[in-house]
Structure formats: C-alpha cells, structure tokens
Amino acid sequence: MQMDDGLNEVGDSSLADETYRSLLADILSARLAGGSVVQQRRLATKHAVSRSPMRHALGRLEGEGLLVRNEKGVLSVRVISLKDYLDSLTMRMLLEPTAAALASPHVSRRELDPLTRMLDEIEADPEPDPEVVWAFDDALHNYIASESRNPFMATTIGEMRRYTTIFERQLPVVRAKPGVLEHRAILLALASNDAEAARRAMTDHLEVVRQGVLANY
C-alpha cells in the first residue's frame, strides 16, 4: 500500500526520483524560470503524482540550492544572478580544463564518434534546434567529466554546470551555433589523446563563453 507521508516502498522512491528528474529538467530548460513560485499541489497534478513523491522531489531540489524560500516560507525557483553565473563559471574554468586533460588518455575515437556526428549535424544545419545544441553540450561536458575518473571533480563540474546552464538558457541567443569551433577543437584534442591540447581547448572554450555572455548581458 502506498503511504502518502513517506517513501517506504521501492515504487514510491522510484517515482520520487522520476519526479525529481522531471522538475530538474524543467528548471534547467527555464520552463520553470527563476523566481517562479512553486505550488506543490499544482505541480503534483501536472506531473500526475501524489503529494509524497512531489514533496520529496522538491525537498531534494531545495537541498541542492535550486529552490529557495523567502522570509514567509514561500518556495520559488532560485534566480541565478550574473555574479552566481560568473562564480560558477570560474569554478568550471578551474576544473574542466584539468578534467579534459585527465580524460584524454582514456577516450577512443569510437566513443567520440556519436559526439562528432552530433556536432557535424549542428554545424550543417543553418538553424539547429536549440534543444539539440544543448543536448550535445551536455553530452560532451558530462562525458569529459566522467572520463576524468575523478568523481569529486565530476560532481562539482555537474553542479556548477547547472547554474551556468540555467543562466545561459534564460538569455537571448548570443550565437546561432554557440561553441561549434571550440567544441570541435576539444573533440580533436581528445581524439588525439593530447592532454595539453585538450586542456587548452577547454580553457579557450570557457573563456569564449564568458566573454560572449559579458558582451551581451
């Protein structure tokens, strides 16, 4: 029997995880924009779940800092400020070039082929679907973080990328095909198993991102 006051069964826990992932995707894509008031009952109805998994999913997101409460206890989606963004990007600039260097000895062309094909399709399309562009960005950066084989580094990169993703997705499009040239350089460096080239390519990419946001904010 499902208990509404807790997640005591595997099914309940799985449903809470699924609800969490759905809400996280909504926040990262700006479908739940910064500052939006979170109404538990309305979200539970929208996602067709009971209060229990929704409550646990919201608690998890609040614990991760993506949801915040005001002085009256009202829960809302965290607004990512420019300072938050730049601070998060600074952390990425400290970690991701090293992650790329650490990952480079472990990658193979076979593993990179799907990412290369995705980038080829983005480059060939005059107006690529933004969701495809973001999917590629996630796939490449998550792959590099994972292949660094440093779970602490990978976790921190993932957390920082959440903040930068939320901020960037709420900005007007800066470039029609953001990051194609820099991402190509990263893939080529990884394919050559060249740690220092991968480090430089990632550094260049993140600096271009930073300058682009500052120039268009």
Side-chain angles (χ1 to χ4, degrees):
M1 181 176 65
Q2 183 172 355
M3 301 295 292
D4 193 51
D5 292 330
L7 298 180
N8 298 320
E9 298 180 0
V10 173
D12 286 342
S13 180
S14 177
L15 187 56
D17 289 342
E18 182 180 336
T19 303
Y20 163 81
R21 288 191 294 270
S22 295
L23 292 174
L24 176 60
D26 285 345
I27 292 171
L28 293 176
S29 66
R31 290 190 293 268
L32 272 176
S36 300
V37 173
V38 174
Q39 298 179 322
Q40 180 177 311
R41 182 174 296 179
R42 179 177 295 180
L43 286 173
T45 299
K46 176 184 175 182
H47 290 271
V49 297
S50 66
R51 288 179 299 169
S52 179
M54 179 56 65
R55 183 170 60 248
H56 281 77
L58 293 176
R60 186 172 170 185
L61 290 166
E62 185 178 5
E64 293 173 353
L66 295 178
L67 300 179
V68 294
R69 294 185 186 274
N70 64 16
E71 64 278 1
K72 296 181 180 179
V74 176
L75 194 64
S76 64
V77 180
R78 177 176 177 173
V79 175
I80 306 301
S81 67
L82 178 60
K83 183 179 186 305
D84 292 333
Y85 172 78
L86 292 174
D87 287 347
S88 301
L89 191 60
T90 295
M91 288 296 295
R92 289 183 60 189
M93 293 174 79
L94 289 171
L95 294 176
E96 283 197 83
T98 299
L102 290 173
S104 61
H106 308 301
V107 302
S108 68
R109 289 184 180 274
R110 179 182 58 80
E111 293 171 329
L112 293 178
D113 279 347
L115 292 168
T116 301
R117 286 195 296 271
M118 288 178 72
L119 187 59
D120 289 344
E121 291 171 4
I122 290 168
E123 189 170 21
D125 190 339
E127 296 184 6
D129 183 342
E131 294 305 316
V132 173
V133 176
W134 280 109
F136 166 78
D137 192 73
D138 286 341
L140 175 60
H141 286 273
N142 290 341
Y143 172 74
I144 290 171
S146 175
E147 286 303 306
S148 73
R149 304 193 180 182
N150 183 322
F152 299 103
M153 183 178 289
T155 296
T156 303
I157 289 171
E159 291 173 352
M160 295 302 101
R161 289 194 70 249
R162 287 183 178 182
Y163 295 121
T164 58
T165 296
I166 292 168
F167 186 88
E168 289 173 11
R169 293 201 69 161
Q170 295 185 102
L171 289 176
V173 175
V174 175
R175 292 180 289 172
K177 300 177 184 179
V180 167
L181 293 178
E182 304 98 78
H183 282 144
R184 182 76 67 189
I186 292 170
L187 285 172
L188 289 173
L190 292 173
S192 300
N193 302 113
D194 188 330
E196 289 310 307
R199 186 193 304 275
R200 289 193 302 271
M202 182 63 77
T203 298
D204 291 345
H205 168 52
L206 294 176
E207 180 59 29
V208 168
V209 170
R210 189 179 75 87
Q211 292 295 338
V213 168
L214 289 175
N216 291 274
Y217 181 68

